[in-house]
Amino acid sequence: MQESSRIRRLPPYLFAQIEERIAEAVKSGRDVISLGIGDPDLPTPPRAVEALAEAAILPGNHRYPSSAGLLEFRQAVADWYRTRFGVELDPKTEITTLIGSKEGIANLPLCFVENGDISLVPDPGYPVYTSGTLLAGGEVYNLPLLEENSFLPDFAAVPAEVLRRTKLLWLNYPNNPTGAVAGREFFERAVAWAREHQILICHDAAYSEIAFDGFRPPSILEVDGAKDVAVEFHSLSKTYNMTGWRIGWAAGNAQAVGALRRLKTNIDSGVFQPIQYAAIAALSEPVASDLIAVYQQRRDLVVEQLSALGWNVAPPKAGIYIWAPVPSGYSSLEFAEHVFEQTNVVITPGVGYGRHGDGYFRISICLPAERIAAAFQRWETQGIRFA
Ligand code: PLP
């Protein structure tokens, strides 16, 4: 049977392929160290696990949840926004629950993008911005994130004929994969530009709580008038080590939140209530400082080890990734392949995040320091250096 053009337009999901490769290698007895996927290895806070267990016993929680999410969960999100960012949100109209932020990111284009409409998507960038747009029948216009621009997009470089067809602008700071951060003044510029061109900004803030050296990533919703043009995606996945639980939210522009809710009531039935109670318990406290300390130590270790092998990489101010250039003579795919064959260490080739990622590879710091050190020991033994 012919698959739909929609599904045929989708690129293969890079991480699915990498996971298959790892599984094969492990099966054949290789001691693989994966610095690939950004899936936290540390446990979910006990208060969340306990809240899940308590709620799971109650039969009332075994029934269909509401698609928009418990009002108590949305209220907890609103309280969290007030405390963390000083932003006021109406939980009834400006917040909706997601089955992980990936779900909302993939679905939102269905609410706003018609055939032939354009999403502006950062390159390199999280692949789901592209997939969601393609599934909705839209087109992607890539905004290059270049090192010389601190990995921020150059709005002025978008041609007028593209702007006329643009519905959505995707942004993501702290950024995956580059580790770049954006300050309040960048978000102010983005909001003003989106207002001028009648574009909805979709800001993905999945990594806003993992930050170092005193840096506090802002929310785009802190900008005056941002709610007129912006919706922000958030997740408990990285902040509270809850990737497997599948819960996040979209907040901000009421029209975007309302449209997403309307779509979702038609295609899903929300998040299991005990997971929402667990998320409420998680949100009642900020990100754990010992979690940040662990990531900071791992970040510093990676930067130090890379430096000993000839790389010169600035420590990222936030997130769980180090973005580093591939040695000359390799494409990013070739380099990742070479490293894997020589050392059984998995790194992510930058091209997986777009054409402009090709000169780079990404290391994620979701492994204990000893394993990270062991990976670089293998690089040293095999002569893998930046030359
Ligand atoms: N956004 C970015 C930039 C990510 O890297 C990820 C996951 O790695 C997500 C969103 C999705 O997170 P989740 O669906 O677990 O909330």
Side-chain angles (χ1 to χ4, degrees):
M1 197 188 293
Q2 170 84 293
E3 290 177 351
S4 70
S5 56
R6 231 168 284 118
I7 204 83
R8 281 184 281 127
R9 285 177 83 198
L10 283 184
Y13 196 64
L14 175 76
F15 287 120
Q17 290 174 323
I18 292 178
E19 272 168 33
E20 266 172 40
R21 272 301 290 287
I22 298 174
E24 270 168 36
V26 169
K27 214 167 142 197
S28 67
R30 291 164 66 177
D31 176 22
V32 173
I33 302 180
S34 178
L35 304 175
I37 200 160
D39 190 353
D41 58 316
L42 297 163
T44 300
R47 64 180 182 279
V49 181
E50 284 154 17
L52 171 93
E54 278 167 27
I57 292 169
L58 305 175
N61 286 329
H62 299 169
R63 310 186 71 190
Y64 285 122
S66 100
S67 172
L70 289 164
L71 184 57
E72 282 158 276
F73 171 68
R74 288 177 277 138
Q75 185 62 57
V77 170
D79 294 345
W80 183 83
Y81 254 94
R82 184 182 310 110
T83 310
R84 169 67 176 88
F85 300 112
V87 168
E88 291 295 332
L89 289 164
D90 180 347
K92 296 211 171 98
T93 56
E94 294 178 328
I95 298 171
T96 201
T97 311
L98 300 174
I99 310 169
S101 63
K102 182 178 186 180
E103 177 262 302
I105 290 168
N107 276 326
L108 183 112
L110 284 171
C111 304
F112 291 97
V113 172
E114 303 275 8
N115 281 344
D117 285 347
I118 289 177
S119 276
L120 302 177
V121 172
D123 172 1
Y126 182 55
V128 186
Y129 314 137
T130 293
S131 321
T133 298
L134 296 180
L135 281 172
E139 291 172 24
V140 166
Y141 183 86
N142 282 124
L143 302 181
L145 301 188
L146 306 176
E147 201 160 348
E148 61 261 35
N149 297 334
S150 310
F151 298 111
L152 296 171
D154 177 6
F155 299 134
V158 182
E161 68 273 16
V162 169
L163 273 177
R164 268 195 293 280
R165 289 198 286 139
T166 297
K167 288 285 177 63
L168 305 178
L169 163 64
W170 290 92
L171 295 175
N172 164 224
Y173 293 99
N175 185 256
N176 174 16
T178 67
V181 295
R184 174 103 171 236
E185 100 302 322
F186 169 76
F187 288 133
E188 280 166 3
R189 269 198 293 127
V191 166
W193 189 73
R195 188 187 296 283
E196 183 186 340
H197 298 288
Q198 296 181 22
I199 295 170
L200 176 68
I201 301 178
C202 305
H203 180 234
D204 174 358
Y207 296 93
S208 71
E209 303 315 293
I210 315 290
F212 313 113
D213 310 324
F215 179 67
R216 297 278 280 162
S219 158
I220 196 168
L221 301 179
E222 290 174 32
V223 174
D224 279 346
K227 279 194 218 168
D228 297 341
V229 291
V231 62
E232 190 158 75
F233 291 90
H234 249 291
S235 170
L236 284 96
S237 289
K238 318 286 163 156
T239 314
Y240 299 108
N241 303 324
M242 291 177 74
T243 49
W245 297 64
R246 311 313 301 137
I247 182 158
W249 68 83
N253 182 270
Q255 188 190 3
V257 165
L260 198 48
R261 253 189 215 174
R262 185 162 166 200
L263 171 73
K264 282 168 57 56
T265 51
N266 282 281
I267 59 174
D268 72 58
S269 301
V271 174
F272 184 46
Q273 284 187 183
I275 294 177
Q276 296 187 56
Y277 286 115
I280 294 169
L283 286 168
S284 68
E285 289 182 29
V287 65
S289 56
D290 50 355
L291 178 75
I292 302 298
V294 167
Y295 280 137
Q296 182 151 343
Q297 189 205 5
R298 293 175 181 179
R299 173 201 72 164
D300 292 346
L301 176 65
V302 170
V303 170
E304 216 176 270
Q305 299 276 321
L306 283 173
S307 159
L309 295 171
W311 271 271
N312 179 14
V313 176
K317 283 209 182 85
I320 55 175
Y321 306 111
I322 317 295
W323 187 239
V326 297
S328 65
Y330 291 99
S331 70
S332 61
L333 217 49
E334 287 164 352
F335 183 61
E337 194 68 27
H338 174 67
V339 167
F340 187 62
E341 286 314 317
Q342 296 296 310
T343 65
N344 287 329
V345 172
V346 180
I347 54 174
T348 312
V351 73
Y353 302 95
R355 192 165 63 84
H356 287 90
D358 199 18
Y360 299 84
F361 63 95
R362 193 194 76 173
I363 285 180
S364 107
I365 51 175
C366 297
L367 273 187
E370 310 80 72
R371 288 295 274 172
I372 295 175
F376 286 107
Q377 183 60 54
R378 294 182 193 178
W379 286 29
E380 193 184 352
T381 308
Q382 293 302 321
I384 291 169
R385 300 183 57 83
F386 186 68

